[in-house]
Amino acid sequence: MSSRDLQKVCVLGSTGSIGTSTLDVLARHPDRYEVFALSAMSRVEELAAQCLQYRPRYAVLPEASLAARLRELLRAQGCATEVLAGERALSEIAAHPEVDAVMAAIVGAAGLAPCLAAARAGKKLMLANKEAIVVGGALFMQAVEQGGATLLPVDSEHSAIFQCLPEDRGTWHDRIDHIVLTASGGPFRQRDPASLADVTPEQAVAHPNWVMGRKISVDSATMMNKALEVIEARWLFNLTPEQIKVVIHPQSIIHSMVVCRDRSVLAQLGTPDMRVPIAYALSFPERIASGAEPLDFLAKPNLTFEEADERRFPGLYLSWQALRAGEGATAVLNAANEEAVAAFLARGLRFDQICRVNRQTLEELHPEAGECASVEGLLNLDARARRHAQALIAALSA
């Protein structure tokens, strides 16, 4: 395959856990893929090392000062990567005419605009940024349809559901009853909920099965990660809230299941390694080597399942509350959670108060008419929800 035929990939959030795993898979297949553009939030030295290794045409950072530092580092090494700065640059590289595929791995609502740009430009959009669809909702799915984009979920749970669905996507609603998203239960699965007030950030980010960033690790510990996945599944697969179930599966071997009308259950299994769904999304509809270890059925313990108890995991149940509350409520929930988790990681909020901030913001702040019809409106709603959550956090920490 000539360099002209290589698939050009843009990796948004390349220094995070999903981004580095994506680059690992890409490096295993230099005959298929070329890294066209990278972006990061603040890890300038790590992004510089990636630029030196993969030689992308563009690299993007959010601030001009960070971009200047990256240019200096790359110039000293003779690297010709063009460094850009700002939010607009993210959307520009995501929608660039030469880009074939976009890995959307930016954490939080900040990923909404570049994801929409990639969707409207008809790219193969590999969605690891669940917040983009949680915030964007109908607007996001409309952009995918109008742009003719190929939307491929990268979360292991949604990738599993996607892989279990019939190839004829137009008829699968007639064949299934509901889906079951699995959850590990996080590091506090067996702890008394009354004992969680003294949980430290170091304890919360120590996930038993997955290697993830700090924010998503805290979300896994509160089960807000699964709450966002419930919302994501509603949009990805056009389901009603009642068609989405969650079960605790501590081993993280079964990644999710589809329950058919005839009560057959289709499940996707594999080792807990994000390179598996990443490789599937990159190569869809083909399959390529991911670098993950094979699943050894004889070496694994028994597969067990537990109820996702509301007393133990109250954050999870905010997903169904938000979905039933109407358009925009899921954006409010996401914004509140981002602020609460940031405050917890900064030791300005107790772990057991995260859910309280999320629930109170969801119940007290309501979207205004037309606020969900545009990116600007959604970002305004996001900002209002953040201010509301910040006020609650300040009151709790006073």
Side-chain angles (χ1 to χ4, degrees):
M1 181 180 291
S2 69
S3 60
R4 186 177 301 174
D5 297 326
L6 295 176
Q7 290 188 47
K8 293 180 172 62
V9 182
C10 169
V11 183
L12 303 175
S14 64
T15 60
S17 60
I18 296 294
T20 55
S21 292
T22 300
L23 291 174
D24 179 87
V25 176
L26 292 173
R28 295 171 186 275
H29 302 278
D31 58 325
R32 297 178 64 110
Y33 305 106
E34 174 186 336
V35 178
F36 184 82
L38 301 174
S39 83
M41 178 60 69
S42 60
R43 299 174 183 172
V44 177
E45 285 73 19
E46 292 178 37
L47 182 57
Q50 291 177 344
C51 289
L52 292 173
Q53 180 176 355
Y54 296 100
R55 304 284 171 164
R57 186 180 304 182
Y58 298 106
V60 178
L61 284 159
E63 298 175 11
S65 59
L66 296 176
R69 173 61 180 154
L70 180 60
R71 288 191 194 98
E72 179 183 335
L73 292 173
L74 297 183
R75 189 180 302 116
Q77 296 293 326
C79 180
T81 295
E82 183 177 347
V83 181
L84 307 174
E87 295 179 3
R88 179 177 294 181
L90 285 175
S91 295
E92 289 174 353
I93 62 170
H96 195 284
E98 293 187 46
V99 166
D100 299 297
V102 176
M103 171 57 74
I106 295 175
V107 176
L112 175 60
C115 282
L116 282 170
R120 288 167 176 158
K123 306 302 184 184
K124 176 160 79 168
L125 178 55
M126 301 171 287
L127 190 66
N129 172 267
K130 64 177 65 64
E131 292 89 349
I133 197 169
V134 168
V135 174
L139 183 69
F140 182 89
M141 296 307 295
Q142 183 182 52
V144 170
E145 182 177 0
Q146 291 179 346
T150 301
L151 181 61
L152 296 164
V154 174
D155 273 341
S156 61
E157 296 82 0
H158 302 93
S159 177
I161 297 298
F162 187 87
Q163 293 181 58
C164 289
L165 292 176
E167 290 186 10
D168 185 357
R169 307 294 174 185
T171 63
W172 70 266
H173 272 92
D174 298 329
R175 307 184 191 185
I176 76 161
D177 185 79
H178 65 275
I179 66 171
V180 180
L181 303 177
T182 58
S184 70
F188 310 128
R189 177 175 61 88
Q190 296 181 309
R191 274 186 61 164
D192 183 347
S195 72
L196 297 178
D198 61 349
V199 164
T200 67
E202 291 75 20
Q203 292 170 327
V205 301
H207 196 280
N209 297 339
W210 298 93
V211 178
M212 303 182 293
R214 286 167 62 80
K215 192 268 182 185
I216 193 173
S217 295
V218 175
D219 283 348
S220 181
T222 63
M223 287 283 275
M224 269 304 302
N225 188 46
K226 202 58 51 178
L228 298 178
E229 288 175 9
V230 168
I231 297 167
E232 183 181 5
R234 176 265 176 271
W235 289 108
L236 282 174
F237 307 117
N238 192 25
L239 299 168
T240 65
E242 293 73 25
Q243 286 182 291
I244 309 168
K245 317 293 183 184
V246 174
V247 66
I248 304 299
H249 171 50
Q251 295 81 23
S252 297
I253 298 300
I254 296 177
H255 297 303
S256 279
M257 296 169 274
V258 172
V259 181
C260 302
R261 290 278 179 89
D262 62 4
R263 299 308 176 187
S264 298
V265 180
L266 308 177
Q268 188 265 335
L269 288 71
T271 52
D273 188 324
M274 284 306 300
R275 290 177 297 178
V276 175
I278 289 169
Y280 179 78
L282 276 169
S283 62
F284 179 81
E286 304 174 39
R287 288 185 186 263
I288 58 173
S290 66
E293 291 295 319
L295 179 60
D296 186 344
F297 288 95
L298 299 181
K300 293 296 178 182
N302 293 333
L303 303 183
T304 60
F305 304 92
E306 303 165 8
E307 178 186 3
D309 178 60
E310 186 170 5
R311 176 177 171 270
R312 187 174 296 278
F313 305 115
L316 168 64
Y317 287 82
L318 295 179
S319 59
W320 289 286
Q321 182 179 338
L323 284 171
R324 294 178 181 122
E327 193 173 15
T330 58
V332 171
L333 177 61
N334 178 74
N337 183 63
E338 288 190 18
E339 292 300 318
V341 171
F344 167 70
L345 288 172
R347 303 181 193 277
L349 187 71
R350 293 202 319 259
F351 179 83
D352 63 329
Q353 293 175 325
I354 294 174
C355 183
R356 178 176 173 180
V357 170
N358 293 346
R359 177 182 288 110
Q360 200 166 338
T361 305
L362 177 63
E363 293 175 349
E364 293 176 355
L365 191 141
H366 305 289
E368 297 175 354
E371 212 166 17
C372 302
S374 67
V375 177
E376 294 75 18
L378 285 170
L379 293 179
N380 178 67
L381 175 61
D382 177 83
R384 290 201 301 117
R386 289 176 189 277
R387 291 193 295 269
H388 195 96
Q390 289 165 359
L392 295 175
I393 292 166
L396 287 170
S397 59

